[in-house]
Amino acid sequence: MKQIHPSYSVFTLFLLFTLLPFYGCSADSTTNKEASGSTDSQPVEATYKAPQDLNYEALDTATFAGGCFWCTETVFERVQGVKEVVSGYAGGSEANPTYKQVSAGMTSHAEAVQVYYDPEVVSFNTLAEVFFKGAHDPTQLNRQGPDVGEQYRSVAFYSTPQEKQIIEEMIAKLEKEGYYDARIVTQVEPLGRFWIAEDYHQDYYVNNPDNSYIQSVSRPKVEKFKEKFKDILKEDYPQ
């Protein structure tokens, strides 16, 4: 049996615990570390608050996980009837998860977005269609593009039996039509608690247009979505 030199294994562990927390949809580990203000021993809960001028009583919510939330957030924000999209973490059991923990695969959470929308303008069915056809690739298991791990898994969360039915019927329809060459692997789960991500993740695409990940991964995905869903795009949203 090949022997591993002790110093090599120590070096490997060093890499795992110092570099992996910044992999994923992050392209600038130093900036993210400073912005999150979190440490391994003392997670910092997010302080982001959704806009107070929205009439939340008139809005419904939809929650999806489809890879890096920088991408999925900016896709849904462009849809008519969507009033606010919040990046966060869902689908796991750990309380107060941080980006450093989730992106390193140290929790059972997935990067997710919560969509606040006006049901008089856009339906849950349309949002589900955007999720399955325009926000990500639902055939990729535990990954989206360059981001690999269960934290980037595809999940459609539901809060009512009606939402569950819409999601399952849409998956069945896409499978029957052969919309994708591969099988859809999206998980359909009841929504538990949604944990809001750190402030600097909110509107990341708009606020960091020169970020290398945004340029190489997010922008092509957004442009593809805009081409496919022209009829439901907001006219005044920043490009």
Side-chain angles (χ1 to χ4, degrees):
M1 179 180 297
K2 183 177 181 180
Q3 298 296 316
I4 300 178
H5 193 279
S7 62
Y8 179 82
S9 60
V10 171
F11 178 70
T12 302
L13 290 174
F14 171 80
L15 288 178
L16 287 173
F17 286 99
T18 58
L19 298 182
L20 276 180
F22 306 113
Y23 284 2
C25 60
S26 165
D28 186 344
S29 61
T30 303
T31 300
N32 287 341
K33 181 179 180 181
E34 294 173 352
S36 67
S38 63
T39 64
D40 291 331
S41 60
Q42 188 176 5
V44 176
E45 189 165 5
T47 58
Y48 172 83
K49 303 297 181 184
Q52 299 301 305
D53 58 347
L54 294 181
N55 180 14
Y56 289 98
E57 292 184 358
L59 302 180
D60 285 345
T61 60
T63 308
F64 303 102
C68 175
F69 46 26
W70 297 348
C71 301
T72 49
E73 178 193 62
T74 196
V75 164
F76 281 107
E77 283 180 336
R78 286 168 161 73
V79 177
Q80 293 176 16
V82 171
K83 301 301 182 180
E84 176 70 3
V85 184
V86 181
S87 288
Y89 316 109
S93 58
E94 297 83 4
N96 300 309
T98 66
Y99 178 68
K100 183 176 181 179
Q101 295 167 336
V102 175
S103 64
M106 298 167 64
T107 74
S108 53
H109 287 286
E111 290 192 15
V113 296
Q114 194 153 76
V115 182
Y116 291 83
Y117 67 98
D118 182 349
E120 297 295 322
V121 180
V122 62
S123 66
F124 181 84
N125 189 85
T126 296
L127 294 177
E129 184 176 7
V130 168
F131 173 68
F132 281 106
K133 293 183 177 181
H136 80 311
D137 181 350
T139 69
Q140 291 193 325
L141 182 63
N142 296 329
R143 71 172 300 161
Q144 280 298 306
D147 302 316
V148 181
E150 291 186 2
Q151 64 271 34
Y152 301 111
R153 66 189 182 272
S154 174
V155 188
F157 296 97
Y158 63 88
S159 299
T160 67
Q162 292 76 18
E163 290 180 352
K164 182 174 186 287
Q165 181 178 354
I166 289 172
I167 294 167
E168 291 178 337
E169 288 180 351
M170 184 162 296
I171 292 175
K173 181 175 182 291
L174 294 174
E175 292 277 26
K176 183 178 180 180
E177 293 175 347
Y179 188 85
Y180 290 103
D181 293 333
R183 183 177 65 88
I184 292 176
V185 296
T186 301
Q187 299 172 10
V188 182
E189 299 180 359
L191 177 64
R193 176 159 181 179
F194 178 86
W195 297 90
I196 298 175
E198 295 83 345
D199 292 2
Y200 71 100
H201 288 299
Q202 313 304 329
D203 297 315
Y204 194 92
Y205 183 98
V206 173
N207 294 328
N208 300 272
D210 297 326
N211 177 280
S212 60
Y213 184 94
I214 296 299
Q215 290 284 343
S216 62
V217 179
S218 302
R219 190 174 300 281
K221 181 180 293 187
V222 170
E223 293 302 319
K224 184 178 179 180
F225 160 74
K226 288 163 58 179
E227 182 64 27
K228 185 177 296 185
F229 288 88
K230 291 180 179 179
D231 57 330
I232 61 170
L233 292 178
K234 293 176 181 175
E235 296 181 356
D236 58 348
Y237 194 81
Q239 298 302 307

